[in-house]
Amino acid sequence: MTLMGWLQVLIFYGLLLLAVKPLGTYMARVYSGDRTGLTFVLQPIERLLYRLAGVQAEKEMSWKDYALAVLACSLVGILFLYLLQRLQHLLPLNPLGFGSVEPDLALNTAVSFVTNTNWQAYGGETTMSFLTQMVGLTVQNFISAASGMAVLVALIRALARSQAQTVGNFWVDLTRGTLYILLPLSILTALLLVASGTVQTLMPNVRVSTLQGGEQVIALGPAASQVAIKHLGTNGGGFFNANAAHPFENPTPLTNLLLMLAETVIPAALTYTFGRMVGDTRQGWAILAAVFLLMIGFNALIYGAEAGGNVRLAALGVDQSPSDLQPGGNMEGKEVRFGIAPSATFAAVTTATSSGAVNSMHDSFTPLGGMVPLVMM
């Protein structure tokens, strides 16, 4: 372990902690229907969406009606995403001419993305058209995350309203979570990613000549917009098969920090939102403190195990100590542009939030380092 490595870890947790109170306060105001800095711009859009969908925003639901609305939303999402994959060969924005996704894979993917599981059994850049990625997977990244947040807010209301018979309106919570929270944060994150080198284009793949005189096909696409909500919504499914280890999704150490913050900022801030909505912020801070202690402890355990190197390589006389030329430790399966500390932190973050995004291969971790993500899951 190195001083620079620990500084990277502490900078991440410090920035995350600074964002908890302002974002948590903002989300509490959004779900309580109070005015925010974005109300003037977004409220007309919100009202228009209610009119188009026939939603009575002022009418609250019982817990049974709320649960049925969640299930109905999920079932429609599964059907839509399944059909979109099956018919993508007939639809536009398919510059590489991908065929219809096989029925079993299409159903697996639809269920996975709608339930915020986002387990992938395919390579995104070799299977899904741009339309499927944008209108199908990215949209479900928003809806599944907003649905989960809405259910949490309904639970908070149930705890805060001991005598009430209603827990809010699911369609209102879904709309506000998407429109006021996920969408603005995603736009900001996507712009920062594009500025740092993440690709965002409708151009098809390009062919380039290698230094050896061969030809290589480089996959492109609208990645930044999907990567942003994939992390903010703790979704995990990547645009590219290599996920956040791919340089077109996560090109620099700065974007790696940004993606880790995106993955954790809403879950962390929701602890403060809970405290605000139940009228006792100390409860929110207590939950956050417990979460932070677990995360930092597990993070340190992974970092220590991976920085210590691979004993089997050491037995072969391989020097795994850090130097000016190499970061040291067990670098197997890790990106050189990140190194041990950011990879260990990313592994802790992605399993703590149940996201599943990766910037390194967890199966190449040391036994102790690999045990921690498994325990976190």
Side-chain angles (χ1 to χ4, degrees):
M1 292 187 284
T2 64
L3 176 61
M4 182 57 68
W6 277 115
L7 282 175
Q8 292 178 79
V9 174
L10 293 175
I11 285 171
F12 161 69
Y13 285 105
L15 291 174
L16 178 61
L17 188 59
L18 287 174
V20 166
K21 185 173 181 179
L23 181 58
T25 301
Y26 172 78
M27 290 193 292
R29 294 184 65 83
V30 167
Y31 286 117
S32 298
D34 299 331
R35 293 190 66 82
T36 69
L38 295 177
T39 300
F40 177 75
V41 176
L42 297 178
Q43 193 174 64
I45 301 174
E46 179 187 2
R47 290 173 176 170
L48 176 61
L49 291 173
Y50 294 152
R51 284 200 297 271
L52 292 175
V55 173
Q56 295 177 296
E58 67 286 349
K59 185 179 180 181
E60 292 202 353
M61 300 175 172
S62 67
W63 72 266
K64 292 180 181 179
D65 291 335
Y66 202 101
L68 288 173
V70 175
L71 291 174
C73 180
S74 298
L75 289 173
V76 171
I78 290 171
L79 178 61
F80 173 78
L81 187 51
Y82 175 80
L83 291 175
L84 184 62
Q85 293 174 85
R86 296 288 293 142
L87 299 174
Q88 72 173 11
H89 61 296
L90 303 174
L91 299 172
L93 290 177
N94 187 8
L96 299 176
F98 290 144
S100 173
V101 179
E102 292 299 318
D104 55 343
L105 179 59
L107 181 60
N108 181 305
T109 304
V111 172
S112 181
F113 273 76
V114 169
T115 58
N116 202 248
T117 307
N118 302 89
W119 181 77
Q120 291 179 259
Y122 62 89
E125 67 269 46
T126 59
T127 308
M128 302 296 181
S129 70
F130 289 170
L131 185 71
T132 302
Q133 294 269 30
M134 292 188 298
V135 178
L137 305 183
T138 302
V139 168
Q140 285 306 318
N141 283 348
F142 276 98
I143 294 177
S144 63
S147 297
M149 292 161 64
V151 171
L152 172 62
V153 170
L155 175 62
I156 294 172
R157 292 194 187 107
L159 295 173
R161 305 172 180 179
S162 57
Q163 302 299 321
Q165 300 299 312
T166 59
V167 292
N169 186 310
F170 170 72
W171 306 112
V172 172
D173 292 337
L174 179 73
T175 302
R176 288 178 179 167
T178 302
L179 196 60
Y180 287 87
I181 300 170
L182 294 175
L183 191 58
L185 287 175
S186 294
I187 292 172
L188 175 61
T189 303
L191 290 174
L192 292 173
L193 287 172
V194 170
S196 301
T198 304
V199 297
Q200 179 71 19
T201 178
L202 295 179
M203 289 179 57
N205 296 353
V206 295
R207 296 179 181 272
V208 298
S209 298
T210 65
L211 294 176
Q212 290 78 21
E215 189 177 68
Q216 181 178 353
V217 178
I218 298 179
L220 301 174
S225 56
Q226 182 171 330
V227 171
I229 185 57
K230 145 191 158 179
H231 286 268
L232 283 164
T234 65
N235 295 288
F239 187 93
F240 296 104
N241 191 34
N243 212 273
H246 197 294
F248 283 179
E249 279 200 24
N250 188 12
T252 69
L254 184 60
T255 59
N256 192 68
L257 174 62
L258 174 62
L259 294 182
M260 289 192 297
L261 287 171
E263 214 164 300
T264 50
V265 68
I266 291 178
L270 279 170
T271 61
Y272 191 80
T273 300
F274 168 79
R276 282 287 296 255
M277 293 184 71
V278 299
D280 186 359
T281 56
R282 293 175 300 175
Q283 294 186 37
W285 287 121
I287 295 172
L288 182 66
V291 170
F292 257 59
L293 284 174
L294 286 171
M295 278 191 63
I296 294 174
F298 280 126
N299 195 161
L301 197 57
I302 303 176
Y303 183 25
E306 298 307 301
N310 188 320
V311 294
R312 291 187 177 275
L313 292 178
L316 298 174
V318 177
D319 183 9
Q320 300 177 77
S321 58
S323 69
D324 293 336
L325 298 178
Q326 56 100 15
N330 177 36
M331 281 298 294
E332 175 67 24
K334 299 176 181 66
E335 292 296 311
V336 176
R337 65 186 188 274
F338 303 140
I340 299 290
S343 297
T345 305
F346 203 110
V349 162
T350 193
T351 47
T353 58
S354 192
S355 173
V358 293
N359 77 340
S360 59
M361 298 301 103
H362 295 173
D363 60 354
S364 65
F365 280 22
T366 61
L368 182 58
M371 179 196 73
V372 175
L374 185 60
V375 171
M376 297 284 268
M377 292 178 199

